């Protein structure tokens, strides 16, 4: 089997030198090679860079980003070089940044899509880095929003000590949700939904919504798309979609930010980097099926040429 030249010791040293000497203008071939690196290889790259230059590669990328803000590739590379829990810590802090509107969807993706052990590392890193508690920062977001209630409930659900899932509990919860929503006129009872979200683990909640579909013949989110739905129902629909069908959720998120009137580059970068080593293959299949175009082609058509686009295309073809 041929050896990947990007993964060799010489390849690591060469990339470190290219990054160090680039002065804010990285060669696109280096960017493409970096996109193909696995997490262990990226860690090796940081260690090699430290040995060669006595500086953390991540710090170097972030320093270049600050002094050369027009070159967006450095922000993207900074995210890519982080371990996942470190990346989630940065994403969570940026989502809660008081200088801009709170990005609740980014927070939902962390609380719904990560294991409890991982979320524990995120909260520890958040406290160490920013000297604040993540959940308290979420509660303090202004103006208040229904997402806050749901996120705090999910934070409690991660503390569930029940590792095993129960079919019986799932069926009971599914019926209870139905009876406080579709099963009677009027809006759903927030207190009932929040109680279930807070008392069940994420795997248990996924089983509940699966049972709901089996019993009532349609996804729970369908009942949340009614004309009378309000802010809480809209937020809950996003949470359930992200929880129960991640590839479809992320394909839709990518389509929206790629094809919107103004490309949401922060969302595009976050999703591409965070899902690249989790379920990008599934996301690409859903994207092609739902929108009739390959994800890499959609990026190539809508994003201006340059290292930023080439890096995203490389992630989409890993």
């Amino acid at each position: 089997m041929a050896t990947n030249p990007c993964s060799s010791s010489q390849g690591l040293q060469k990339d470190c030198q290219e990054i160090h000497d680039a002065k804010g203008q990285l060669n696109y071939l280096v960017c493409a090679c970096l996109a193909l690196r696995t997490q262990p290889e990226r860690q090796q790259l940081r260690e090699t860079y430290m040995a060669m230059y006595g500086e953390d590669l991540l710090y170097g990328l972030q320093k270049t980003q600050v002094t050369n803000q027009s070159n967006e590739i450095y922000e993207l590379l900074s995210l890519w070089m982080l371990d996942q829990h470190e990346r989630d810590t940065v994403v969570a802090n940026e989502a809660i940044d008081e200088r801009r509107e709170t990005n609740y969807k980014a927070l939902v993706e962390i609380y719904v899509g990560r294991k409890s052990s991982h979320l524990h590392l995120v909260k520890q890193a958040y406290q160490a880095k920013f000297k604040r508690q993540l959940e308290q920062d979420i509660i303090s977001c202004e103006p208040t929003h229904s997402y806050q209630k749901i996120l705090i409930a999910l934070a409690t659900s991660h503390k569930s000590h029940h590792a095993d899932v129960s079919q019986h509990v799932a069926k009971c919860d599914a019926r209870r949700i139905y009876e406080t929503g579709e099963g009677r006129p009027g809006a759903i009872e927030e207190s009932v939904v929040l109680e279930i979200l807070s008392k069940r683990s994420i795997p248990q909640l996924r089983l509940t919504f699966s049972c709901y579909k089996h019993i009532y013949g349609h996804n729970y989110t369908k009942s949340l798309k009614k004309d009378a739905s309000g802010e809480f129902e809209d937020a809950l629909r996003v949470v359930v979609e992200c929880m129960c069908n991640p590839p479809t959720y992320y394909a839709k998120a990518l389509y929206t930010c790629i094809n919107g009137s103004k490309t949401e580059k922060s969302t595009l970068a976050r999703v591409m980097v965070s899902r690249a080593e989790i379920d990008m293959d599934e996301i690409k299949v859903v994207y092609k099926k739902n929108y009739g175009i390959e994800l890499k082609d959609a990026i190539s058509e809508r994003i201006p040429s340059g290292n930023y686009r080439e890096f995203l295309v490389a992630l989409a073809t890993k």
Side-chain angles (χ1 to χ4, degrees), residues 101-312:
E101 184 178 356
T102 304
N103 188 345
Y104 286 111
K105 289 185 179 181
L107 296 169
V108 166
E109 291 163 14
I110 294 171
Y111 275 82
V112 165
R114 307 292 188 255
K115 293 181 178 179
S116 297
S117 57
H118 175 92
L119 186 59
H120 180 67
L121 292 176
V122 173
K123 290 191 287 187
Q124 281 187 325
Y126 192 94
Q127 174 113 32
K129 188 175 181 67
F130 304 112
K131 312 305 178 188
R132 303 190 305 273
Q133 292 186 355
L134 174 56
E135 283 152 27
Q136 187 57 51
D137 276 2
I138 293 173
I139 293 171
S140 302
C141 288
E142 293 290 347
T144 57
H145 196 284
S146 293
Y147 272 119
Q148 288 165 294
K149 302 176 187 177
I150 296 173
L151 284 165
I152 296 307
L154 291 173
T156 305
S157 79
H158 274 282
K159 298 172 185 175
S160 172
H161 296 293
H162 303 292
D164 297 329
V165 295
S166 166
Q167 191 80 20
H168 173 71
V169 170
K171 289 179 179 178
C172 291
D173 285 347
R175 291 192 177 95
R176 193 175 176 204
I177 291 173
Y178 176 83
E179 290 165 0
T180 59
E182 288 185 87
R184 64 172 184 79
I188 65 174
E189 288 186 32
E190 293 183 16
S191 60
V192 172
V193 174
L194 291 173
E195 179 191 345
I196 292 173
L197 290 180
S198 66
K199 288 185 176 180
R200 311 300 185 215
S201 67
I202 298 297
Q204 181 67 51
L205 290 170
R206 289 195 183 101
L207 182 58
T208 293
F209 292 118
S210 176
C211 286
Y212 189 102
K213 182 178 181 180
H214 179 75
I215 295 170
Y216 301 108
H218 60 266
N219 290 322
Y220 177 58
T221 52
K222 182 179 179 181
S223 68
L224 299 173
K225 293 181 179 179
K226 296 177 180 177
D227 294 337
S229 66
E231 180 188 87
F232 183 81
E233 289 81 2
D234 289 342
L236 183 58
R237 183 177 67 251
V238 169
V239 170
V240 176
E241 286 177 347
C242 185
M243 184 185 299
C244 298
N245 198 344
T248 298
Y249 168 88
Y250 286 109
K252 182 179 179 181
L254 287 171
Y255 179 82
T256 299
C257 63
I258 290 172
N259 293 278
S261 56
K262 181 180 180 181
T263 302
E264 300 175 29
K265 288 189 174 179
S266 61
T267 300
L268 180 60
R270 182 183 78 248
V271 173
M272 292 298 296
V273 168
S274 67
R275 308 310 293 187
E277 296 172 307
I278 298 176
D279 56 0
M280 186 55 71
D281 285 344
E282 295 173 72
I283 292 170
K284 289 188 292 185
V285 170
V286 173
Y287 198 98
K288 176 67 182 298
K289 178 182 177 182
N290 289 355
Y291 307 113
I293 185 173
E294 299 283 356
L295 175 58
K296 62 181 178 62
D297 294 334
I299 293 171
S300 295
E301 288 182 9
R302 300 290 297 185
I303 306 299
S305 61
N307 287 345
Y308 185 86
R309 185 180 75 180
E310 295 307 315
F311 187 86
L312 292 175

Side-chain angles (χ1 to χ4, degrees), residues 24-39:
Q25 298 297 325
L26 271 177
N27 183 296
Y28 81 94
L29 290 175
V30 176
C31 293
C33 189
L34 290 175
L36 297 177
R37 291 198 181 281
T38 63
Q39 179 59 50

Side-chain angles (χ1 to χ4, degrees), residues 89-105:
T89 301
V90 172
V91 168
N93 181 251
E94 290 178 351
I96 302 172
D97 191 335
E98 61 185 14
R99 295 169 297 179
R100 64 190 77 163
E101 184 178 356
T102 304
N103 188 345
Y104 286 111
K105 289 185 179 181

